[in-house]
Amino acid sequence: MDSQTVDASPQTGEGRPAATLKRNALGVLGILFFVLSAQAPLTGIAGAVPIAVAVGNGAGAPAAYAIAGAVILLFSVGFVAMGRHVVNAGAFYTYIGKGLGRTTGSGSAAVALFAYCTVQAAMYGLYGFTVSGLVEHYSGAYIAWWVWALVTMGAVQVLGAAGIELGAKVLAVFVLAEFSILLVFALVTLVKGGGPEGLDFGGTFSPSAVLQGAPGVALMFAVASMFGFEATAIYGEEAREPHKTVPRATYLSVAVVTGFFAFVSWMLVSSYGPSKVTAAAGKALAGGDSTVFVFAPIADQFGGWVNDVLPILLGTSLFAGILAFHNSANRYLFSLSREGLLPGRLRTLNHRHSPWVAGLVQTAIAVLLVMPFALAGKDPVLTLFSWFSGVGVLACMLLYFLTSVSVIVFFRRERLDTRRWNTLIAPALGALGIAAVIWVVLTNFTTLIGGDATTALWLVLAVPAVLLLGAGTARVVHGR
């Protein structure tokens, strides 16, 4: 066995060399933009932070992002170690399959596809609602949210088929815009010494602040905001020098995302004051528009024009996230086809080396997930966005856990890397941390989706059902 790689030459399900995605198309920054797009920074800040503060642990919510980042960092150590030996657009399921067997790996592939498609569908709900409101506000014309969702699905399909470089450039523009305004606000607040109560580091990061209220709820929303960083490995086949680029992009993305969310949320808390921030967040939630909690202090800092610009940036933030998840999902479909688990047509590449047929299927899945909510007249934010984002996060947490366990098993068996910290200790600690997060998510799942207990139960059960379905399909296909 090659001491450097286990899966450097992708094969079809019949063992023949397969078509590959475009080599040397992305560098560290290109991959980083895909990760940041999937995280949709403005959406995460404006959507999750007010809830984490109001329902979670109040002024201590920023510390939850730091804790979540530490757990993800521990997970990343083993994730990167595996990535040095396995390069495949399937990422999670390939890693899991190498350690826990093809059947479990194939089941995890179904879970990964389920996670990416449900999160993307959730974003279509919030995106359609946001764009519909913006158009009505500026033109007076009301066009239903689902119309904008369908139009955007067409645009995303075109961009996805146009090639990975163009997608990276489009995402870079959108991500830099939303990232910059939030970061500038946070830096200005820091330089000014905080809000009415100063910076008050202890009021946010002391043990008493962190443990007040319901810290588990804040941790749950913090982890949800970081969903998507694993895309670094998905683009391994398209990266320049993947054995160097993917590890660097992974660690950089975890550091940037953790630092960004912890810092910006801390400055938001500071702008209100630790003693008043919980009430302010609760008032925004009670008013039906949680973004007011975030937009108001930024407008106070820079002027009323912000209230016109930020809603637009929220729309572009969601669009960037939708495109990022489209690219991730179609690469999963492509990779599964290459493994022989899905029809061979899905591994068809166009002249830009983009899996355009897989992209069409992914777009069709988005339509099938979104349109039932439109036909039933459901609220796109309270149902489509809340339900699917919650179940997508739960599915991804399961993948993180299985990957950590697989890393340990793989390196105990193959001995390709004998560094105990990288292949045993960090993955084990990461698995324990992720298991704790899964328990917190399950305990608070009804809160996460904003629904009732029955809906929460069905959504939770959907994750193991998809895992078993994928594993069963693999056994049938491979005759075992």
Side-chain angles (χ1 to χ4, degrees):
M1 181 177 293
D2 190 332
S3 63
Q4 297 301 314
T5 182
V6 173
D7 195 27
S9 301
Q11 304 280 314
T12 65
E14 294 76 28
R16 299 189 304 271
T20 58
L21 299 166
K22 187 172 184 179
R23 304 291 190 182
N24 302 316
L26 294 172
V28 172
L29 291 180
I31 296 175
L32 178 63
F33 279 123
F34 275 106
V35 171
L36 293 179
S37 299
Q39 253 113 37
L42 181 56
T43 304
I45 291 291
V49 172
I51 303 174
V53 171
V55 184
N57 59 345
Y65 287 95
I67 294 170
V71 172
I72 297 301
L73 184 61
L74 287 171
F75 165 82
S76 298
V77 174
F79 185 70
V80 165
M82 180 72 93
R84 293 183 185 278
H85 302 279
V86 181
V87 178
N88 188 290
F92 273 143
Y93 90 81
T94 308
Y95 292 7
I96 293 170
K98 291 296 179 185
L100 303 181
R102 174 178 282 185
T103 299
T104 305
S106 298
S108 68
V111 173
L113 191 59
F114 177 72
Y116 290 132
C117 288
T118 51
V119 169
Q120 188 204 43
M123 298 179 87
Y124 270 123
L126 182 56
Y127 172 85
F129 174 81
T130 301
V131 173
S132 178
L134 285 171
V135 171
E136 185 175 14
H137 174 73
Y138 287 109
S139 71
Y142 171 75
I143 300 176
W145 67 270
W146 56 267
V147 175
W148 294 112
L150 289 176
V151 169
T152 302
M153 288 177 194
V156 167
Q157 174 63 33
V158 170
L159 282 172
I164 197 70
E165 297 102 323
L166 178 60
K169 291 174 182 176
V170 171
L171 293 177
V173 173
F174 290 153
V175 169
L176 284 174
E178 59 181 300
F179 198 83
S180 297
I181 194 167
L182 289 171
L183 189 59
V184 169
F185 158 75
L187 288 172
V188 170
T189 303
L190 177 68
V191 171
K192 288 185 173 181
E197 299 173 29
L199 294 174
D200 196 0
F201 184 87
T204 292
F205 293 100
S206 67
S208 59
V210 174
L211 297 175
Q212 68 180 329
V217 173
L219 179 63
M220 176 179 64
F221 282 100
V223 170
S225 298
M226 296 184 181
F227 179 64
F229 84 94
E230 70 288 338
T232 54
I234 292 175
Y235 299 107
E237 287 186 37
E238 296 158 282
R240 304 186 195 101
E241 298 184 276
H243 296 293
K244 295 180 180 179
T245 301
V246 172
R248 291 171 183 171
T250 301
Y251 287 131
L252 181 61
S253 65
V254 173
V256 169
V257 169
T258 300
F260 175 81
F261 277 100
F263 179 50
V264 173
S265 59
W266 177 31
M267 291 301 99
L268 281 169
V269 168
S270 179
S271 67
Y272 287 99
S275 67
K276 300 176 181 178
V277 69
T278 303
K283 182 179 178 181
L285 291 180
D289 184 4
S290 63
T291 62
V292 171
F293 174 78
V294 175
F295 292 176
I298 298 178
D300 289 342
Q301 195 78 264
F302 300 132
W305 62 269
V306 167
N307 290 319
D308 292 321
V309 172
L310 284 176
I312 295 173
L313 288 180
L314 178 60
T316 59
S317 171
L318 288 161
F319 180 85
I322 287 167
L323 178 58
F325 281 113
H326 171 81
N327 284 324
S328 295
N330 69 23
R331 278 153 180 75
Y332 258 89
L333 290 167
F334 168 84
S335 189
L336 287 171
S337 171
R338 197 166 57 184
E339 294 286 336
L341 292 171
L342 289 176
R345 180 71 172 161
L346 292 175
R347 60 177 177 264
T348 303
L349 300 174
N350 62 17
H351 69 286
R352 294 182 179 272
H353 292 266
S354 175
W356 69 278
V357 176
L360 283 173
V361 172
Q362 199 286 314
T363 299
I365 292 172
V367 173
L368 292 174
L369 290 175
V370 169
M371 288 312 294
F373 288 84
L375 295 173
K378 296 292 186 181
D379 186 293
V381 177
L382 298 180
T383 57
L384 177 56
F385 176 73
S386 298
W387 296 359
F388 278 0
S389 58
V391 75
V393 168
L394 181 60
C396 202
M397 288 299 103
L398 175 61
L399 292 173
Y400 290 177
F401 179 78
L402 291 175
T403 300
S404 292
V405 174
S406 180
V407 167
I408 296 171
V409 174
F410 175 79
F411 285 110
R412 300 283 71 70
R413 183 177 66 236
E414 302 296 342
R415 298 293 178 181
L416 294 173
D417 189 333
T418 57
R419 296 173 297 173
R420 291 179 64 83
W421 169 256
N422 297 70
T423 63
L424 177 61
I425 299 173
L429 292 174
L432 290 173
I434 292 163
V437 171
I438 291 174
W439 180 82
V440 168
V441 169
L442 289 173
T443 303
N444 298 281
F445 197 72
T446 303
T447 300
L448 178 61
I449 67 166
D452 57 79
T454 301
T455 300
L457 177 62
W458 280 110
L459 290 173
V460 167
L461 292 176
V463 177
V466 169
L467 178 68
L468 293 174
L469 178 62
T473 301
R475 293 182 69 86
V476 170
V477 170
H478 295 296
R480 288 186 281 149

